[in-house]
Amino acid sequence: MSTILIVEDEVILREVMKDYLLEDGYQVLEAGDGKKALELVKETGVDLIILDIMLPEMDGWSVCKRIRKESDVPIIMLTARSDEDDTLMGFELGADDYVTKPYSPPILLARVKRLLQTRQLRVQADTSLTCGSITIHFPSRTVTVDGAPCSLTHTEFEMLAYLMKNRGIIITREQLITKIWGYDYIGDDRTINSHIRNLRAKLGEHAGHIVTVVRSGYKFEEHP
C-alpha cells in the first residue's frame, strides 16, 4: 500500500484530498507547513508527495528543493496561479507534475496513480544498463556517470532510462509524454523541454548523448 504525503495549509482542501486517497486505498500523511513535511519525509517512507506552493514560513519551492537533495520521490506541486514561469520553476526544482487550483480531485488522483505506476511497475529483467560513461542501476533506481553518483528525480530517471533503452532511435515528445505521464496527460511539450534541460545539466560533459532532433524529438546516441 503506497503512502502519500499531503502538504497543504488549507485544512478543508487537505481533508478533501485525504478522503479521495483513503477511499482509493492509499495511506495518507498530512503536513500543514514545510517544516513538518520535511520531518515526515525524513522519518517515514513516503511514496509520493502532493505539495502546495503557498505554505507558511517555508514555501513549496524551498521544500521541493530540500527534498530533491536526498530523494527522487515523485512530487506533484499545487498552485493557485497559472503563471507559466511558476510551472517552469517547479520543474526546474525537480517536481514531476504540476496542478493548478481549482482542480478536479479525480484528475489529481489519476495523476497520483500514473506516477506511482511508472515507479512501481519498473521491474527490469536486467539489473543495469550502460551507454558510454552512463550506467543505470534499475533495482536501486540510481545512475552513475563516470562511476560517480548522479542524483536524478523520478521523472528524469524515467526519461533517461527510456531514451537509453531506445538508443539510436528518435523518440518524439508525444512518446515521452505518453510513456512518463500516460494518455490522459493535460499539458504541453514545454514540460518535456524543461525536464530534458535539467537532465542534460546533471549529465554535465556527457549531456551530448541526448541529441535534439529538430521538429521530431530526442535521440540518445551512445557515441555523441
Side-chain angles (χ1 to χ4, degrees):
M1 184 181 296
S2 297
T3 300
I4 313 297
L5 171 59
I6 302 172
V7 189
E8 168 65 73
D9 63 324
E10 294 186 44
V11 178
I12 294 178
L13 291 179
R14 197 166 70 231
E15 287 300 316
V16 170
M17 280 188 276
K18 178 181 177 181
D19 288 344
Y20 267 88
L21 291 168
L22 289 174
E23 225 175 88
D24 218 59
Y26 296 107
Q27 292 183 334
V28 178
L29 298 176
E30 302 175 65
D33 59 69
K35 182 179 178 182
K36 178 64 174 177
L38 291 173
E39 290 175 357
L40 287 172
V41 171
K42 186 175 182 179
E43 296 170 1
T44 64
V46 300
D47 299 294
L48 184 142
I49 301 171
I50 299 174
L51 176 62
D52 189 29
I53 287 179
M54 301 303 292
L55 295 171
E57 298 183 26
M58 181 187 298
D59 62 36
W61 284 321
S62 300
V63 175
C64 181
K65 188 175 181 179
R66 290 274 294 275
I67 291 172
R68 278 293 171 257
K69 289 181 179 179
E70 301 177 357
S71 173
D72 73 338
V73 61
I75 297 176
I76 299 176
M77 299 199 79
L78 304 177
T79 179
R81 299 172 55 178
S82 58
D83 193 323
E84 181 180 299
D85 290 339
D86 279 4
T87 304
L88 293 176
M89 171 71 82
F91 287 134
E92 286 170 1
L93 291 176
D96 296 285
D97 206 348
Y98 207 97
V99 177
T100 304
K101 298 178 181 178
Y103 56 83
S104 162
I107 291 297
L108 178 60
L109 183 60
R111 294 189 176 197
V112 166
K113 288 181 178 180
R114 172 58 61 181
L115 280 174
L116 288 174
Q117 284 171 356
T118 59
R119 185 180 180 86
Q120 294 170 347
L121 300 180
R122 188 62 61 187
V123 179
Q124 303 295 333
D126 298 321
T127 59
S128 66
L129 173 62
T130 298
C131 294
S133 301
I134 304 171
T135 299
I136 293 180
H137 307 272
F138 291 106
S140 61
R141 290 183 60 84
T142 56
V143 174
T144 56
V145 179
D146 286 330
C150 179
S151 179
L152 301 183
T153 68
H154 166 80
T155 299
E156 290 163 0
F157 181 93
E158 294 295 330
M159 283 187 174
L160 180 60
Y162 188 45
L163 289 169
M164 284 177 63
K165 286 178 185 177
N166 294 280
R167 54 191 178 277
I169 300 172
I170 296 173
I171 303 298
T172 67
R173 290 177 175 81
E174 290 74 18
Q175 285 176 305
L176 278 171
I177 287 173
T178 299
K179 183 66 178 178
I180 307 302
W181 289 282
Y183 291 100
D184 57 354
Y185 175 74
I186 300 173
D188 57 45
D189 60 11
R190 284 174 296 186
T191 297
I192 296 294
N193 298 343
S194 181
H195 284 299
I196 289 291
R197 183 169 62 248
N198 293 343
L199 179 55
R200 281 173 168 158
K202 292 181 179 181
L203 294 178
E205 63 182 40
H206 300 289
H209 283 287
I210 301 176
V211 177
T212 299
V213 182
V214 179
R215 297 182 181 178
S216 296
Y218 299 97
K219 179 172 62 171
F220 189 97
E221 292 188 348
E222 194 159 0
H223 302 290

Short mmCIF file of all heavy atoms in Angstrom, two decimals, residues 41-85:
data_model
loop_
_atom_site.label_atom_id
_atom_site.label_comp_id
_atom_site.label_asym_id
_atom_site.label_seq_id
_atom_site.Cartn_x
_atom_site.Cartn_y
_atom_site.Cartn_z
N VAL A 41 9.12 13.38 5.73
CA VAL A 41 9.88 12.75 4.65
C VAL A 41 11.12 12.05 5.21
O VAL A 41 11.49 10.96 4.78
CB VAL A 41 10.28 13.79 3.58
CG1 VAL A 41 11.26 13.18 2.58
CG2 VAL A 41 9.05 14.30 2.85
N LYS A 42 11.74 12.70 6.18
CA LYS A 42 12.96 12.15 6.78
C LYS A 42 12.66 10.96 7.68
O LYS A 42 13.42 9.98 7.70
CB LYS A 42 13.66 13.24 7.59
CG LYS A 42 15.02 12.82 8.16
CD LYS A 42 15.70 13.98 8.85
CE LYS A 42 17.08 13.57 9.37
NZ LYS A 42 17.77 14.70 10.04
N GLU A 43 11.54 11.02 8.40
CA GLU A 43 11.24 10.00 9.42
C GLU A 43 10.46 8.81 8.86
O GLU A 43 10.50 7.71 9.43
CB GLU A 43 10.44 10.62 10.56
CG GLU A 43 11.21 11.69 11.33
CD GLU A 43 10.32 12.47 12.29
OE1 GLU A 43 9.11 12.15 12.35
OE2 GLU A 43 10.84 13.37 12.97
N THR A 44 9.72 9.00 7.78
CA THR A 44 8.87 7.93 7.26
C THR A 44 9.16 7.67 5.79
O THR A 44 9.72 8.51 5.09
CB THR A 44 7.38 8.29 7.41
OG1 THR A 44 7.08 9.44 6.61
CG2 THR A 44 7.03 8.59 8.86
N GLY A 45 8.73 6.54 5.30
CA GLY A 45 8.93 6.22 3.89
C GLY A 45 7.71 6.58 3.07
O GLY A 45 6.74 5.82 3.03
N VAL A 46 7.70 7.76 2.46
CA VAL A 46 6.57 8.15 1.63
C VAL A 46 6.84 7.79 0.18
O VAL A 46 7.99 7.78 -0.27
CB VAL A 46 6.25 9.66 1.76
CG1 VAL A 46 5.93 10.01 3.20
CG2 VAL A 46 7.40 10.52 1.27
N ASP A 47 5.78 7.46 -0.55
CA ASP A 47 5.93 7.04 -1.94
C ASP A 47 5.62 8.15 -2.93
O ASP A 47 5.99 8.06 -4.10
CB ASP A 47 4.99 5.85 -2.20
CG ASP A 47 5.34 4.67 -1.32
OD1 ASP A 47 6.43 4.11 -1.49
OD2 ASP A 47 4.53 4.31 -0.44
N LEU A 48 4.92 9.20 -2.47
CA LEU A 48 4.59 10.33 -3.35
C LEU A 48 4.20 11.51 -2.47
O LEU A 48 3.63 11.32 -1.38
CB LEU A 48 3.45 9.96 -4.30
CG LEU A 48 3.05 11.01 -5.34
CD1 LEU A 48 2.71 10.35 -6.69
CD2 LEU A 48 1.84 11.83 -4.87
N ILE A 49 4.49 12.71 -2.96
CA ILE A 49 4.17 13.92 -2.20
C ILE A 49 3.31 14.86 -3.05
O ILE A 49 3.64 15.13 -4.21
CB ILE A 49 5.45 14.67 -1.78
CG1 ILE A 49 6.34 13.77 -0.92
CG2 ILE A 49 5.10 15.96 -1.02
CD1 ILE A 49 7.71 14.35 -0.65
N ILE A 50 2.20 15.31 -2.47
CA ILE A 50 1.38 16.37 -3.08
C ILE A 50 1.72 17.64 -2.32
O ILE A 50 1.43 17.76 -1.13
CB ILE A 50 -0.12 16.04 -2.97
CG1 ILE A 50 -0.44 14.74 -3.71
CG2 ILE A 50 -0.96 17.19 -3.56
CD1 ILE A 50 -1.87 14.26 -3.53
N LEU A 51 2.35 18.58 -2.99
CA LEU A 51 2.98 19.73 -2.32
C LEU A 51 2.43 21.06 -2.80
O LEU A 51 2.60 21.43 -3.97
CB LEU A 51 4.50 19.66 -2.55
CG LEU A 51 5.37 20.80 -2.03
CD1 LEU A 51 5.27 20.91 -0.51
CD2 LEU A 51 6.82 20.57 -2.45
N ASP A 52 1.77 21.79 -1.91
CA ASP A 52 1.28 23.13 -2.24
C ASP A 52 2.44 24.11 -2.24
O ASP A 52 3.37 23.99 -1.43
CB ASP A 52 0.21 23.55 -1.23
CG ASP A 52 -0.49 24.84 -1.63
OD1 ASP A 52 -0.60 25.10 -2.84
OD2 ASP A 52 -0.93 25.59 -0.73
N ILE A 53 2.41 25.10 -3.13
CA ILE A 53 3.49 26.08 -3.18
C ILE A 53 3.36 27.12 -2.07
O ILE A 53 4.32 27.46 -1.39
CB ILE A 53 3.51 26.79 -4.56
CG1 ILE A 53 4.03 25.82 -5.62
CG2 ILE A 53 4.39 28.03 -4.51
CD1 ILE A 53 4.08 26.41 -7.01
N MET A 54 2.13 27.61 -1.85
CA MET A 54 1.92 28.67 -0.88
C MET A 54 1.75 28.08 0.52
O MET A 54 0.65 27.70 0.92
CB MET A 54 0.70 29.51 -1.27
CG MET A 54 0.81 30.15 -2.64
SD MET A 54 2.28 31.21 -2.81
CE MET A 54 1.85 32.54 -1.69
N LEU A 55 2.85 28.01 1.25
CA LEU A 55 2.85 27.45 2.60
C LEU A 55 3.42 28.49 3.58
O LEU A 55 4.23 29.34 3.19
CB LEU A 55 3.72 26.19 2.66
CG LEU A 55 3.26 24.98 1.84
CD1 LEU A 55 4.36 23.93 1.83
CD2 LEU A 55 1.98 24.41 2.41
N PRO A 56 3.02 28.42 4.84
CA PRO A 56 3.57 29.36 5.83
C PRO A 56 5.03 29.07 6.14
O PRO A 56 5.46 27.91 6.12
CB PRO A 56 2.69 29.11 7.07
CG PRO A 56 2.16 27.73 6.89
CD PRO A 56 1.99 27.55 5.41
N GLU A 57 5.81 30.09 6.38
CA GLU A 57 7.22 30.03 6.78
C GLU A 57 8.15 29.57 5.66
O GLU A 57 9.10 30.25 5.31
CB GLU A 57 7.39 29.13 8.01
CG GLU A 57 6.64 29.66 9.23
CD GLU A 57 6.89 28.81 10.44
OE1 GLU A 57 7.94 28.14 10.53
OE2 GLU A 57 6.00 28.78 11.32
N MET A 58 7.90 28.39 5.10
CA MET A 58 8.75 27.86 4.02
C MET A 58 7.86 27.47 2.84
O MET A 58 6.98 26.64 2.97
CB MET A 58 9.52 26.63 4.52
CG MET A 58 10.45 26.03 3.47
SD MET A 58 11.20 24.46 4.03
CE MET A 58 12.12 25.01 5.46
N ASP A 59 8.07 28.12 1.66
CA ASP A 59 7.18 27.82 0.53
C ASP A 59 7.50 26.46 -0.10
O ASP A 59 8.51 25.83 0.20
CB ASP A 59 7.24 28.93 -0.52
CG ASP A 59 8.62 29.11 -1.15
OD1 ASP A 59 9.33 28.11 -1.33
OD2 ASP A 59 8.99 30.27 -1.44
N GLY A 60 6.57 26.01 -0.96
CA GLY A 60 6.70 24.70 -1.57
C GLY A 60 7.95 24.54 -2.41
O GLY A 60 8.52 23.44 -2.50
N TRP A 61 8.38 25.62 -3.06
CA TRP A 61 9.59 25.54 -3.87
C TRP A 61 10.80 25.18 -3.00
O TRP A 61 11.62 24.35 -3.37
CB TRP A 61 9.85 26.87 -4.58
CG TRP A 61 8.98 27.11 -5.75
CD1 TRP A 61 8.57 26.20 -6.68
CD2 TRP A 61 8.36 28.35 -6.12
NE1 TRP A 61 7.75 26.81 -7.61
CE2 TRP A 61 7.61 28.11 -7.30
CE3 TRP A 61 8.38 29.63 -5.57
CZ2 TRP A 61 6.89 29.12 -7.93
CZ3 TRP A 61 7.66 30.63 -6.21
CH2 TRP A 61 6.92 30.37 -7.37
N SER A 62 10.90 25.83 -1.84
CA SER A 62 12.02 25.55 -0.93
C SER A 62 11.95 24.13 -0.41
O SER A 62 12.98 23.46 -0.28
CB SER A 62 11.99 26.54 0.25
OG SER A 62 12.09 27.88 -0.20
N VAL A 63 10.74 23.66 -0.11
CA VAL A 63 10.56 22.28 0.37
C VAL A 63 10.99 21.29 -0.71
O VAL A 63 11.71 20.33 -0.44
CB VAL A 63 9.09 22.02 0.77
CG1 VAL A 63 8.89 20.56 1.16
CG2 VAL A 63 8.68 22.94 1.92
N CYS A 64 10.54 21.53 -1.94
CA CYS A 64 10.89 20.66 -3.07
C CYS A 64 12.41 20.60 -3.25
O CYS A 64 12.98 19.52 -3.43
CB CYS A 64 10.21 21.17 -4.34
SG CYS A 64 10.53 20.17 -5.81
N LYS A 65 13.05 21.74 -3.19
CA LYS A 65 14.50 21.81 -3.37
C LYS A 65 15.23 21.01 -2.30
O LYS A 65 16.19 20.28 -2.59
CB LYS A 65 14.95 23.27 -3.33
CG LYS A 65 16.41 23.49 -3.70
CD LYS A 65 16.73 24.97 -3.76
CE LYS A 65 18.19 25.19 -4.16
NZ LYS A 65 18.50 26.65 -4.23
N ARG A 66 14.76 21.11 -1.04
CA ARG A 66 15.37 20.37 0.07
C ARG A 66 15.19 18.86 -0.11
O ARG A 66 16.11 18.07 0.11
CB ARG A 66 14.75 20.83 1.39
CG ARG A 66 15.12 22.26 1.81
CD ARG A 66 16.43 22.29 2.58
NE ARG A 66 16.30 21.60 3.86
CZ ARG A 66 15.83 22.17 4.98
NH1 ARG A 66 15.43 23.44 4.97
NH2 ARG A 66 15.78 21.49 6.09
N ILE A 67 13.99 18.46 -0.51
CA ILE A 67 13.70 17.04 -0.68
C ILE A 67 14.57 16.45 -1.79
O ILE A 67 15.09 15.33 -1.68
CB ILE A 67 12.21 16.81 -1.00
CG1 ILE A 67 11.37 17.14 0.24
CG2 ILE A 67 11.95 15.38 -1.44
CD1 ILE A 67 9.88 17.14 -0.01
N ARG A 68 14.73 17.21 -2.89
CA ARG A 68 15.48 16.70 -4.03
C ARG A 68 16.97 16.49 -3.75
O ARG A 68 17.66 15.79 -4.49
CB ARG A 68 15.31 17.66 -5.22
CG ARG A 68 14.02 17.43 -5.98
CD ARG A 68 14.04 16.09 -6.69
NE ARG A 68 12.74 15.74 -7.25
CZ ARG A 68 11.91 14.87 -6.72
NH1 ARG A 68 12.25 14.22 -5.61
NH2 ARG A 68 10.75 14.62 -7.27
N LYS A 69 17.46 17.05 -2.67
CA LYS A 69 18.86 16.83 -2.32
C LYS A 69 19.08 15.41 -1.81
O LYS A 69 20.20 14.91 -1.82
CB LYS A 69 19.29 17.83 -1.23
CG LYS A 69 19.42 19.27 -1.73
CD LYS A 69 19.88 20.18 -0.61
CE LYS A 69 20.04 21.62 -1.11
NZ LYS A 69 20.48 22.53 -0.01
N GLU A 70 18.00 14.76 -1.37
CA GLU A 70 18.13 13.45 -0.76
C GLU A 70 17.22 12.37 -1.34
O GLU A 70 17.41 11.19 -1.07
CB GLU A 70 17.86 13.54 0.75
CG GLU A 70 18.78 14.50 1.48
CD GLU A 70 18.44 14.63 2.95
OE1 GLU A 70 17.44 14.00 3.37
OE2 GLU A 70 19.15 15.34 3.67
N SER A 71 16.22 12.75 -2.13
CA SER A 71 15.24 11.76 -2.57
C SER A 71 14.71 12.06 -3.97
O SER A 71 14.61 13.22 -4.38
CB SER A 71 14.06 11.74 -1.58
OG SER A 71 13.02 10.91 -2.04
N ASP A 72 14.35 10.97 -4.69
CA ASP A 72 13.73 11.13 -6.01
C ASP A 72 12.24 10.81 -5.94
O ASP A 72 11.61 10.53 -6.96
CB ASP A 72 14.42 10.24 -7.05
CG ASP A 72 14.09 8.76 -6.87
OD1 ASP A 72 13.68 8.36 -5.74
OD2 ASP A 72 14.23 7.99 -7.83
N VAL A 73 11.65 10.84 -4.73
CA VAL A 73 10.23 10.55 -4.55
C VAL A 73 9.40 11.44 -5.48
O VAL A 73 9.68 12.63 -5.62
CB VAL A 73 9.81 10.75 -3.08
CG1 VAL A 73 10.02 12.19 -2.63
CG2 VAL A 73 8.35 10.35 -2.88
N PRO A 74 8.40 10.90 -6.17
CA PRO A 74 7.57 11.72 -7.06
C PRO A 74 6.89 12.87 -6.31
O PRO A 74 6.36 12.66 -5.21
CB PRO A 74 6.53 10.72 -7.59
CG PRO A 74 7.19 9.39 -7.47
CD PRO A 74 8.01 9.46 -6.23
N ILE A 75 6.90 14.05 -6.91
CA ILE A 75 6.29 15.24 -6.30
C ILE A 75 5.32 15.88 -7.28
O ILE A 75 5.70 16.19 -8.42
CB ILE A 75 7.36 16.27 -5.89
CG1 ILE A 75 8.30 15.68 -4.82
CG2 ILE A 75 6.70 17.54 -5.37
CD1 ILE A 75 9.45 16.61 -4.45
N ILE A 76 4.08 16.08 -6.83
CA ILE A 76 3.09 16.83 -7.60
C ILE A 76 2.90 18.17 -6.89
O ILE A 76 2.54 18.20 -5.71
CB ILE A 76 1.74 16.10 -7.66
CG1 ILE A 76 1.88 14.75 -8.35
CG2 ILE A 76 0.70 16.96 -8.40
CD1 ILE A 76 0.59 13.93 -8.37
N MET A 77 3.16 19.27 -7.57
CA MET A 77 3.04 20.59 -6.95
C MET A 77 1.67 21.19 -7.26
O MET A 77 1.14 21.06 -8.36
CB MET A 77 4.16 21.51 -7.42
CG MET A 77 5.54 21.00 -7.07
SD MET A 77 6.85 22.26 -7.12
CE MET A 77 6.57 23.09 -5.56
N LEU A 78 1.12 21.89 -6.26
CA LEU A 78 -0.17 22.56 -6.39
C LEU A 78 0.03 24.06 -6.31
O LEU A 78 0.82 24.54 -5.49
CB LEU A 78 -1.12 22.12 -5.26
CG LEU A 78 -1.40 20.63 -5.09
CD1 LEU A 78 -2.28 20.42 -3.87
CD2 LEU A 78 -2.05 20.05 -6.33
N THR A 79 -0.69 24.80 -7.13
CA THR A 79 -0.59 26.26 -7.08
C THR A 79 -1.91 26.90 -7.45
O THR A 79 -2.69 26.34 -8.23
CB THR A 79 0.50 26.78 -8.03
OG1 THR A 79 0.55 28.21 -7.95
CG2 THR A 79 0.23 26.38 -9.47
N ALA A 80 -2.16 28.07 -6.89
CA ALA A 80 -3.37 28.82 -7.23
C ALA A 80 -3.13 29.70 -8.44
O ALA A 80 -4.04 30.36 -8.94
CB ALA A 80 -3.81 29.67 -6.04
N ARG A 81 -1.89 29.73 -8.93
CA ARG A 81 -1.53 30.56 -10.07
C ARG A 81 -1.29 29.69 -11.30
O ARG A 81 -0.81 28.58 -11.20
CB ARG A 81 -0.27 31.38 -9.76
CG ARG A 81 -0.43 32.32 -8.59
CD ARG A 81 0.90 32.94 -8.21
NE ARG A 81 1.54 33.61 -9.33
CZ ARG A 81 2.70 34.26 -9.21
NH1 ARG A 81 3.34 34.30 -8.07
NH2 ARG A 81 3.23 34.85 -10.27
N SER A 82 -1.63 30.23 -12.46
CA SER A 82 -1.40 29.50 -13.71
C SER A 82 -0.23 30.11 -14.50
O SER A 82 -0.08 29.86 -15.68
CB SER A 82 -2.67 29.54 -14.58
OG SER A 82 -3.06 30.87 -14.86
N ASP A 83 0.59 30.90 -13.83
CA ASP A 83 1.73 31.55 -14.45
C ASP A 83 2.71 30.51 -14.98
O ASP A 83 3.14 29.60 -14.26
CB ASP A 83 2.43 32.44 -13.41
CG ASP A 83 3.42 33.40 -14.05
OD1 ASP A 83 4.09 33.00 -15.02
OD2 ASP A 83 3.50 34.54 -13.58
N GLU A 84 3.08 30.63 -16.26
CA GLU A 84 3.99 29.67 -16.88
C GLU A 84 5.34 29.65 -16.18
O GLU A 84 5.96 28.59 -16.04
CB GLU A 84 4.19 30.04 -18.35
CG GLU A 84 5.11 29.09 -19.09
CD GLU A 84 5.28 29.49 -20.54
OE1 GLU A 84 4.27 29.50 -21.27
OE2 GLU A 84 6.42 29.80 -20.94
N ASP A 85 5.80 30.81 -15.70
CA ASP A 85 7.09 30.86 -15.01
C ASP A 85 7.07 30.03 -13.73
O ASP A 85 8.07 29.39 -13.37
CB ASP A 85 7.47 32.31 -14.66
CG ASP A 85 7.83 33.11 -15.90
OD1 ASP A 85 8.17 32.49 -16.93
OD2 ASP A 85 7.77 34.35 -15.84
#
